[in-house]
Structure formats: structure tokens, C-alpha cells
Amino acid sequence: MDFKGQVAVITGGARGIGKTIAEALARKGVNIVIADISSEQAQGTASEIEKLGVKSTGVGLDVSKSEEVVRAFGEIAKDYGRIDILVNNAGITRDGLIMRMKEEDWDAVININLKSVFLCSKEAVKIMAKQRYGRIINISSVVAFMGNPGQANYSASKAGMVGLTKTTAKEYASRGITANAVAPGFITTAMTDALPENVKEEMKMAIPLGRFGATEDVANAVVFLASPDAGYITGQVIHVNGGMYM
């Protein structure tokens, strides 16, 4: 996997799965731009990434606002001269049963999780098309395919991401750009760590491999899809869920 001289933009990259993806790509020699709602956290993570021997920048960005996305991608292109990899990872949850879900909670999740993929991809493909090379990887979820009670907004946003991925793949294949999605299942994070042990054990019973995934499991799939080795793979969803959904 030869990533020499490449540049990746990772939304929601300051922590969790996004941070692990950033670290994994940096270890391959990719220069990293961390885009996150928290400028301070983005810059902090970027400083850590630079210790891996690559250039890294932290950018404060609300990915649901078009004017901020246009500005940020313009600055990134100016600073780095190119964008080779876009990982649309930013996401939030605002859980609740449909009957009780507030409209503003629906809108917030759709805007951050789905609208952001449209806005960021739109700016990235302008740059990638000129290069005639690019990799777009969207972080979806197992609930896009299974549904999940209390997560109508989240499930819908992640399912919409899959359709957007396939359309992007068809529109820009002729420009040397691939677009794929990774759909994680239950991944060990601060959120799952806080669950009661009995709840975690019940969740594991639904996973044939009998354990939660690690953020590294997701990052490994992203690194492959971002690599030149995956050049003939586009419009696909890689499921990283331990067999929870097949």
C-alpha cells in the first residue's frame, strides 16, 4: 500500500473511531487533516498525529454548514495542494422513540450525519476530479441495515449514507474516484464502556464472534479502501460487525 505524499481529511477525527483511522493512515505516511466541531480537540489530535512523522493540521468545522465546509476545504487545498482521501466519519446520536422524538433531534442527526457527507464530498470531488484520483470512505453503521428501536433518525441517516455512497461512486468513477462505505457494528468506545455488564453481555450474544469490535478493526477496513490496492472496488459496503449482520 503506497500512500506516499497523500493527504487525508477525516471529519469527526479528534477522538474515537475517527482518531484511530487518522493514526492508522498516518502510520502509512499519509498527511492528516483533522476536522472536528471542537477546534481545540482537533488541534490536540493533530499534534499527536505529527509525532508519527507526518504533517497534520486540526481544523474547527461544523460539517453541517455549507459555508464552513467550503471555506475549510479551500484552505486545506491551499495548504496541502491536494486531497486524496476523504473519510466522512462525523456523527451524533439523539435517541428516542419515533412518537417522542423531537423534530430538532431528527434534524440535528440528519444534518450532522448525512448532510455533512454531501457537503464534504461535494467539495472534495472538485479537487479529486482535477487530480483524476481520490478515495471517499463513508462511515455508516450496522443499524442502517438492521434498524434499531429508539434510533429512527440515526438509522435513517446511516442508511441514506449508503445510497449517497453508491451514487457518488457512479458519478465519479470516470474521474478515478472511488466511493465506499464501512458499516461498523458494536465497537468498544467510551459509550459502550459505560454500559452495565449485563447489558454488554446481552449485546455480545447477538454477535457470532462473541465480542465487541475495536476501533482498529474499523480503521483497518478504511485503510484498505483508501489505498491504491482497492482501486477496483467502488460503491460497496464493508461490514465490520463480527457477524452480527450478514
Side-chain angles (χ1 to χ4, degrees), residues 2-3 6 82-85 124 127-135 175-178 225-229 231:
D2 183 9
F3 290 91
Q6 290 196 10
R82 60 186 301 114
I83 296 175
D84 302 280
I85 301 162
I127 299 163
M128 293 174 175
K130 292 178 181 177
Q131 300 168 175
R132 301 197 72 81
Y133 181 89
R135 299 283 187 265
R175 300 299 182 93
I177 301 169
T178 65
L225 291 173
S227 75
D229 293 353

Side-chain angles (χ1 to χ4, degrees), residues 122-141:
K122 181 179 180 180
E123 296 309 307
V125 295
K126 294 176 183 177
I127 299 163
M128 293 174 175
K130 292 178 181 177
Q131 300 168 175
R132 301 197 72 81
Y133 181 89
R135 299 283 187 265
I136 297 174
I137 301 102
N138 300 322
I139 307 302
S140 182
S141 171

Side-chain angles (χ1 to χ4, degrees), residues 64-119:
S64 70
K65 295 183 177 178
S66 59
E67 64 276 11
E68 289 196 28
V69 172
V70 171
R71 172 191 54 78
F73 276 78
E75 292 176 356
I76 293 165
K78 183 179 179 180
D79 291 344
Y80 286 83
R82 60 186 301 114
I83 296 175
D84 302 280
I85 301 162
L86 169 64
V87 181
N88 286 304
N89 168 73
I92 62 170
T93 57
R94 295 287 188 274
D95 295 349
L97 297 175
I98 292 173
M99 186 172 65
R100 299 173 183 170
M101 185 174 289
K102 297 178 181 178
E103 185 177 351
E104 54 263 36
D105 290 337
W106 171 273
D107 289 344
V109 170
I110 295 298
N111 286 340
I112 295 293
N113 296 12
L114 181 57
K115 181 182 176 183
S116 67
V117 179
F118 161 67
L119 293 176

Side-chain angles (χ1 to χ4, degrees), residues 162 165-167 169-170 178-181 233-237:
V162 174
T165 299
K166 292 177 180 292
T167 297
K170 288 189 174 183
T178 65
N180 294 286
I233 301 172
T234 195
Q236 304 303 309
V237 180

Side-chain angles (χ1 to χ4, degrees), residues 183-207:
F186 289 130
I187 305 298
T188 299
T189 62
M191 183 174 67
T192 56
D193 284 343
L195 293 171
E197 283 301 319
N198 64 314
V199 173
K200 287 193 280 190
E201 290 305 313
E202 288 180 13
M203 293 167 70
K204 289 176 183 176
M205 289 177 64
I207 305 170

Side-chain angles (χ1 to χ4, degrees), residues 137-184:
I137 301 102
N138 300 322
I139 307 302
S140 182
S141 171
V142 67
V143 302
F145 302 87
M146 296 178 62
N148 200 32
Q151 288 195 314
N153 48 6
Y154 187 78
S155 299
S157 71
K158 294 299 185 176
M161 189 183 290
V162 174
L164 180 53
T165 299
K166 292 177 180 292
T167 297
T168 305
K170 288 189 174 183
E171 288 188 359
Y172 291 97
S174 64
R175 300 299 182 93
I177 301 169
T178 65
N180 294 286
V182 174

Side-chain angles (χ1 to χ4, degrees), residues 38-62:
S38 169
S39 178
E40 183 179 352
Q41 290 187 20
Q43 291 169 10
T45 297
S47 295
E48 293 179 37
I49 295 293
E50 285 197 324
K51 295 176 183 177
L52 298 173
V54 299
K55 179 180 177 181
S56 185
T57 306
V59 177
L61 175 62
D62 183 339

